[in-house]
Every structure is written in structure tokens, then in C-alpha cells.
């Protein structure tokens, strides 16, 4: 097997709601010793997560093409030869999206807008309208998804069918079973995944949320390379071999993508049952 080593990882921390400068400083400080790697940051890293409503998002959201915080992160990429995937509250005209940005020394490389909004996000953000795409980064094929997209296996599958090696997954997880589920996503698609989750609590007038930490890097075949603790700042960079994500053999006889029988899967676009499964 031809090997092609690369470095991917995450920075887990506890963004404070509305404290963009503090959150940016925390990221710059947390990554100060990292070089030559693709690093994933949590969902809504700069603003915090638990918005009251759309108007509150609109006051904090930014156009990533005209943002001093994005410029600061791109400067970090240039200084330390990094690529970053960060969650971002995105303003686009009169719309606001819960987005993930791919940044590198070259600048802003890609914007993905979260397709599957979770809970009260539906009252705060527009549903994503960008297609799932794979980008070439540092010799890897990289795809983005955001937090609750984990619950929809179609997202990881769509990226896998486009040849993704590494799924970058900025998250603010509150449910407890995503981290285990991502092991399955990596088995069934033969890919690497980096879930960068936040930890800590956000107490807002409309409710309190506690996030589950345990950011992780998972390899094809569901191998857990590293999982952080549920609490505490954590930086982890893993050495990976993208050739492992390009070999889709599960056994000598089985290819995880090549053995699919889509002609028997019916129309995966529309359910034939209602909301209750009946
Ligand atoms: C989530 O999608 N932030 C749970």
C-alpha cells in the first residue's frame, strides 16, 4: 500500500457566549505550538452557541469575506502553515447560517452551511443551502459537516461517494451518543473523522445547555485514535495515512462502497412513512 502521511487534529475549548475577542484569543493561544496540520475547531467557535433568536444571531454573524476574526485565523494559518475548519455564524445578505469555514494560508477556501439544524437552531438560523463537497487540502480530500449532521448518515455517505478521506466535524454536542455513532460512520464509509466538540455550560435566559466534550479522531474501520476528556481544553494532532481511507476493502471479498446495491435501496430522497414511522 502506498502511504501518504498527514496530520489532522482538533482543539477543544469552552467558547463564552458573545465574547468573540476572548474566544479568538483562546484559539490563537491554544494553537500557538501547532504547525503543518489540519485542525478542526468547535461549532460556532467565535460567538458561542445558544442564541435567543434570529435577531441576536444577526447582531453577531459576519460575512466571512469581510471579517477581522477570519483575517486573524488566516494570519495564523500563514504563520504556522495550518489549515483550519471552524464553526462560524455567517451573515449572507438577510440570511444567517450556522456554517463551517475551511481556511488556509491562501485565505477562505470553502463555506459549508449546516444542513440539519438542531432544536432551537431552527428558530435562529436559515437551513443550509450549500451542497456537500470535497476539497483538496494538504494532499487529503476533505469534507465538512456540522454537529447534528452526524444523525443523518446520508451526509457522510455523500462525502464518501465523492472520495472524501477526512470528514471535519465542528460540534457543540449536547446529546450523548454522537461520538459512538461517528465510529460507525467511519466503518461504513472507510474514512477518517475529526469531531471537534466544545465543553462547558451556556446559561442563557431561555435555558442552560451543557456540552459533552470528548472530541475525537477516528480512523477507517472505526478505530478510535484519540478521544479527549468530557471537560477541559484539549489539543490533539494525529498522524494519519490517507491511503487507508482510499482502500475500501472490508474483507478480501468486500468493498464497502463497491458492494453497494443502490438499485435495491429505493428512493432515499423521500420517506414512505410519516413522522412516527407509521
Ligand atoms: C448541535 O447540532 N449543535 C447539537
Amino acid at each position: 500500500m502506498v502511504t501518504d502521511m498527514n496530520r489532522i487534529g482538533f482543539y477543544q475549548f469552552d467558547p463564552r457566549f458573545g465574547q468573540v475577542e476572548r474566544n479568538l484569543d483562546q484559539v490563537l493561544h491554544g494553537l500557538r505550538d501547532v504547525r503543518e496540520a489540519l485542525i478542526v475547531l468547535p461549532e460556532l467557535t467565535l460567538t458561542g452557541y445558544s442564541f435567543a433568536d434570529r435577531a441576536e444571531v444577526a447582531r453577531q454573524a459576519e460575512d466571512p469575506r469581510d471579517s477581522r476574526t477570519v483575517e486573524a485565523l488566516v494570519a495564523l494559518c500563514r504563520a504556522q502553515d495550518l489549515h483550519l475548519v471552524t464553526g462560524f455564524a455567517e451573515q449572507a445578505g438577510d440570511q444567517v447560517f450556522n456554517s463551517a469555514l475551511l481556511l488556509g494560508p491562501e485565505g477562505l477556501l470553502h463555506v459549508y452551511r449546516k444542513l440539519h439544524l438542531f432544536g432551537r437552531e431552527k428558530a435562529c438560523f436559515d437551513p443550509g443551502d450549500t451542497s456537500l463537497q470535497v476539497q483538496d487540502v494538504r494532499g487529503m480530500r476533505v469534507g465538512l459537516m456540522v454537529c447534528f449532521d452526524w444523525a443523518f448518515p446520508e451526509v457522510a455517505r455523500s462525502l464518501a461517494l465523492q472520495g472524501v478521506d477526512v470528514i471535519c466535524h465542528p460540534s457543540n454536542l449536547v446529546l450523548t451518543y454522537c461520538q459512538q455513532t461517528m465510529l460507525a460512520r467511519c466503518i461504513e464509509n472507510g474514512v477518517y473523522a475529526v469531531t471537534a466538540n466544545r465543553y462547558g455550560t451556556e446559561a442563557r435566559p431561555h435555558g442552560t445547555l451543557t456540552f459533552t466534550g470528548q472530541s475525537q479522531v477516528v480512523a477507517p474501520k472505526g478505530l478510535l485514535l484519540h478521544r479527549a476528556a468530557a471537560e477541559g481544553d484539549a489539543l490533539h494532532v494525529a498522524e494519519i495515512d490517507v491511503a487507508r481511507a482510499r482502500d475500501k476493502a472490508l474483507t478480501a471479498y468486500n468493498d464497502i462502497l463497491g458492494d453497494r446495491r443502490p438499485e435495491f435501496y429505493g428512493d432515499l430522497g423521500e420517506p414512505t412513512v410519516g413522522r412516527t414511522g407509521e
Side-chain angles (χ1 to χ4, degrees):
M1 189 193 282
V2 178
T3 63
D4 194 357
M5 300 307 289
N6 226 309
R7 284 156 48 80
I8 61 173
F10 61 77
Y11 178 54
Q12 166 177 307
F13 74 114
D14 60 338
R16 303 282 160 78
F17 188 82
Q19 297 184 30
V20 174
E21 286 299 320
R22 178 265 179 198
N23 296 333
L24 176 63
D25 284 351
Q26 176 95 14
V27 169
L28 300 178
H29 185 73
L31 297 184
R32 67 194 179 284
D33 294 327
V34 189
R35 279 173 178 70
E36 299 175 3
L38 167 65
I39 300 293
V40 187
L41 302 170
E43 181 180 11
L44 295 170
T45 279
L46 299 163
T47 55
Y49 177 76
S50 189
F51 287 96
D53 52 29
R54 237 185 122 79
E56 191 174 51
V57 178
R59 283 197 292 278
Q60 296 196 43
E62 294 181 277
D63 176 349
R65 291 168 188 80
D66 182 19
S67 159
R68 287 186 43 237
T69 43
V70 170
E71 279 171 23
L73 291 173
V74 168
L76 176 75
C77 291
R78 282 198 191 113
Q80 296 176 205
D81 189 10
L82 295 175
H83 283 79
L84 295 176
V85 172
T86 183
F88 190 77
E90 184 197 358
Q91 181 94 50
D94 58 4
Q95 292 187 293
V96 283
F97 296 100
N98 181 344
S99 296
L101 311 180
L102 172 64
L103 307 173
E106 313 90 326
L108 174 65
L109 299 175
H110 183 60
V111 179
Y112 164 72
R113 296 170 172 165
K114 185 176 186 177
L115 289 177
H116 302 97
L117 298 176
F118 178 74
R120 295 190 69 263
E121 288 174 37
K122 290 187 177 187
C124 298
F125 293 96
D126 291 289
D129 60 359
T130 45
S131 61
L132 294 157
Q133 292 175 27
V134 172
Q135 315 295 320
D136 289 317
V137 177
R138 314 185 80 86
M140 299 176 279
R141 298 183 197 131
V142 168
L144 313 188
M145 63 187 221
V146 176
C147 204
F148 192 49
D149 286 331
W150 68 266
F152 301 86
E154 296 87 346
V155 174
R157 181 63 105 201
S158 167
L159 293 170
L161 292 172
Q162 296 177 63
V164 79
D165 298 316
V166 180
I167 295 177
C168 297
H169 182 207
S171 295
N172 279 186
L173 294 160
V174 291
L175 303 179
T176 53
Y177 25 75
C178 166
Q179 285 87 343
Q180 285 303 100
T181 303
M182 289 306 291
L183 305 187
R185 293 292 102 86
C186 291
I187 297 170
E188 66 204 9
N189 294 298
V191 297
Y192 290 92
V194 182
T195 297
N197 193 21
R198 64 161 294 171
Y199 71 94
T201 295
E202 261 183 24
R204 304 281 339 270
H206 50 275
T208 297
L209 291 175
T210 300
F211 303 95
T212 62
Q214 300 171 85
S215 299
Q216 63 185 22
V217 184
V218 184
K221 304 204 168 62
L223 186 67
L224 182 61
L225 297 182
H226 184 79
R227 183 177 284 168
E231 293 272 334
D233 296 357
L235 170 69
H236 183 77
V237 182
E239 291 267 332
I240 66 153
D241 180 357
V242 293
R244 292 194 189 285
R246 295 180 187 180
D247 173 9
K248 299 299 185 189
L250 207 53
T251 73
Y253 296 93
N254 296 105
D255 181 290
I256 198 68
L257 294 185
D259 284 3
R260 295 170 67 248
R261 305 289 307 280
E263 66 275 31
F264 289 101
Y265 299 160
D267 182 357
L268 286 176
E270 286 300 325
T272 54
V273 294
R275 283 175 74 91
T276 59
E278 288 157 11

